[in-house]
């Protein structure tokens, strides 16, 4: 098997990008700062700022305290609740699926690079890199759908009809995009770049036949050369 380790340096960097992108996607899923609501009534929301994430909504309050959050009041957003907007429900499902698909993509990248650097097998290397790239791009697309959907909801100033127990206002005075969407977008871009680099892997062109026979210029009858007359004259002495 030919030496292939020098052909996958870009893919090794792509694996690093894919791992960073996957980590940022997981971080974005847990952040509550997807939408930042600014309110003027500070009787309940003491800081005047409320955060709406994919899984819960929170705000600082000196009158309402959630156990485990100190002065922060949080309520979890369920996928099955009637008030849950479609973009948040999509975020709960697609972001989680993106993590699973991205994890499989990174595992496929480790497998393909293992075959390259340790010379395990040659035949599945190309298909392994293609599969890895496809999984990374698919994971990025899955996360981009809810990210862009929630970004559009913020830009168009859409509100959410929270139940009374959430203590959230019916509509914010204004809202802007939080760092959760930004972190998720960066992670998705890194996953796309990683997938493209994986898909561009090419096996090197062989310099001689697979069966190990000599090149044609050496083993063909026409290329055997002529007898040396000087050698033959010395042979008759």
């Amino acid at each position: 098997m030919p030496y292939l380790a020098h052909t996958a340096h870009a893919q090794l960097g792509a694996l690093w990008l894919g791992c960073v992108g996957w980590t940022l996607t997981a971080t974005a899923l847990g952040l509550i700062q997807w939408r930042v609501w600014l309110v003027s009534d500070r009787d309940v929301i003491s800081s005047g700022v409320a955060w709406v994430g994919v899984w819960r909504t929170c705000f600082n309050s000196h009158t309402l305290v959630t156990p485990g959050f100190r002065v922060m009041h949080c309520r979890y957003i369920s996928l099955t609740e009637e008030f849950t907007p479609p973009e948040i429900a999509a975020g709960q499902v697609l972001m989680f699926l993106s993590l699973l698909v991205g994890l499989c993509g990174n595992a496929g990248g480790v497998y393909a690079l293992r075959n390259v650097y340790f010379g395990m097998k040659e035949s599945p290397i190309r298909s392994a890199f293609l599969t890895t790239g496809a999984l990374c791009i698919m994971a990025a697309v899955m996360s981009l759908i809810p990210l862009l959907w929630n970004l559009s909801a913020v830009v168009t100033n859409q509100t959410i009809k929270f139940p009374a127990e959430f203590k959230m206002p019916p509509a914010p005075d204004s809202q802007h995009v939080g760092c959760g969407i930004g972190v998720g977008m960066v992670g998705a871009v890194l996953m796309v770049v990683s997938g493209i680099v994986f898909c561009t892997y090419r096996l090197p062109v062989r310099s001689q036949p697979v069966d190990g026979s000599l090149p044609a210029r050496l083993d063909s009858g026409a290329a055997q050369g002529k007898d040396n007359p000087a050698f033959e004259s010395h042979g008759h002495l």
Side-chain angles (χ1 to χ4, degrees), residues 65-129:
V65 178
T66 302
F69 292 99
R70 296 183 180 180
V71 297
M72 182 174 287
H73 175 75
C74 293
R75 297 286 297 188
Y76 286 95
I77 302 175
S78 175
L79 179 64
T80 58
E81 295 289 344
E82 295 183 359
F83 74 91
T84 304
E87 63 271 15
I88 290 183
Q92 293 181 357
V93 175
L94 291 179
M95 292 292 288
F96 181 74
L97 291 177
S98 175
L99 290 180
L100 294 180
V101 175
L103 182 62
C104 293
N106 288 328
V110 172
Y111 169 77
L113 288 170
R114 170 179 173 268
N115 289 346
V116 169
Y117 283 103
F118 293 97
M120 303 299 294
K121 296 179 182 178
E122 182 178 356
S123 56
I125 289 178
R126 172 65 175 151
S127 57
F129 277 124

Side-chain angles (χ1 to χ4, degrees), residues 31-53:
L31 290 175
I32 60 174
Q33 295 91 346
W34 280 51
R35 306 188 194 184
V36 180
W37 284 20
L38 303 179
V39 297
S40 56
D41 186 3
R42 301 193 176 188
D43 292 338
V44 177
I45 304 177
S46 304
S47 62
V49 179
W51 303 282
V52 180

Side-chain angles (χ1 to χ4, degrees), residues 34 87 90-92 94-95 141-151:
W34 280 51
E87 63 271 15
Q92 293 181 357
L94 291 179
M95 292 292 288
V141 172
M142 285 182 177
S143 62
L144 278 175
I145 292 175
L147 288 168
L148 293 176
W149 198 349
N150 280 273
L151 177 63

Side-chain angles (χ1 to χ4, degrees), residues 158-169:
Q158 296 182 16
T159 186
I160 303 174
K161 296 181 180 180
F162 288 105
E165 59 267 21
F166 278 71
K167 307 298 181 180
M168 290 286 287

